[in-house]
Amino acid sequence: MSAPYHGRLAPLAVPAECAAQAARWKLLGQAPWLVLGVPAYRLRLWAGNGFDPDDFLRWPFVLAMDFEREPDGRGLAERLVADMRRAGRCSLAQAEQWLAKLYQAFTLVKAQDRISAEHDGQAEIRFCHNGVPVLSVQDADFARLFFGLWLSAGATQPALRAALMGAATA
């Protein structure tokens, strides 16, 4: 197992926990996620040749979040689920299940940590915290709404989506 990320050791490399696909993937783009104008985390998107931004859920890819500052992990999980509910239809029961899962993935995140979310091209997402697997979710609705926050055509920050999809749309 590789050493934990803890900072800027290799920010442009495919996360080591995703090494099985690394030879086929390239960095498509990166962009900061701003909260009140201050960078909260930097998003990086890796995928293989042929990746289709308009049909992203049919492709394997990795979306990594490198945290610039220490987040309120529980608050971040709550905000993500609230944004997912606004973006698409889901039941209250689904939202509660997803919140419990995202608490598991984000509660221990500190400044300079990385969360990677590897999508298998079907419906599974594997979350790692600094290279250590913390959660696996097999749920197509969750995948669509979670990744859709940043990658869907209806993302709330179109410029961020364009930056992430950069090489795929070039």
Side-chain angles (χ1 to χ4, degrees):
M1 182 178 296
S2 65
Y5 179 67
H6 298 300
R8 309 269 183 251
L9 298 177
L12 296 179
V14 174
E17 63 271 20
C18 305
Q21 301 286 340
R24 298 184 335 182
W25 288 352
K26 64 181 178 182
L27 180 67
L28 295 183
Q30 59 183 315
W33 181 266
L34 305 175
V35 176
L36 301 174
V38 177
Y41 51 87
R42 176 164 292 280
L43 292 156
R44 300 180 203 284
L45 178 65
W46 285 269
N49 290 331
F51 179 81
D52 181 356
D54 295 322
D55 198 14
F56 64 90
L57 288 172
R58 293 180 47 107
W59 297 87
F61 61 85
V62 173
L63 183 68
M65 307 163 121
D66 297 307
F67 286 84
E68 303 288 328
R69 57 188 177 147
E70 186 166 332
D72 168 8
R74 290 182 70 83
L76 175 59
E78 291 166 1
R79 193 182 89 232
L80 290 171
V81 170
D83 289 347
M84 290 165 67
R85 289 198 74 199
R86 273 192 291 280
R89 295 175 192 226
C90 71
S91 69
L92 184 55
Q94 281 177 304
E96 289 173 355
Q97 290 173 351
W98 297 345
L99 184 59
K101 291 178 185 307
L102 290 176
Y103 280 162
Q104 185 179 346
F106 288 97
T107 299
L108 299 177
V109 173
K110 305 281 185 231
Q112 308 306 314
D113 282 358
R114 181 187 62 239
I115 294 288
S116 62
E118 181 178 11
H119 183 258
D120 72 350
Q122 295 173 31
E124 184 176 6
I125 304 172
R126 189 172 62 102
F127 288 90
C128 292
H129 177 211
N130 293 332
V132 178
V134 293
L135 175 66
S136 181
V137 179
Q138 182 79 37
D139 182 331
D141 288 334
F142 178 87
R144 176 179 52 83
L145 292 172
F146 177 78
F147 287 121
L149 295 175
W150 303 280
L151 304 180
S152 75
T156 59
Q157 294 190 23
L160 180 135
R161 179 187 189 263
L164 289 173
M165 299 291 191
T169 57

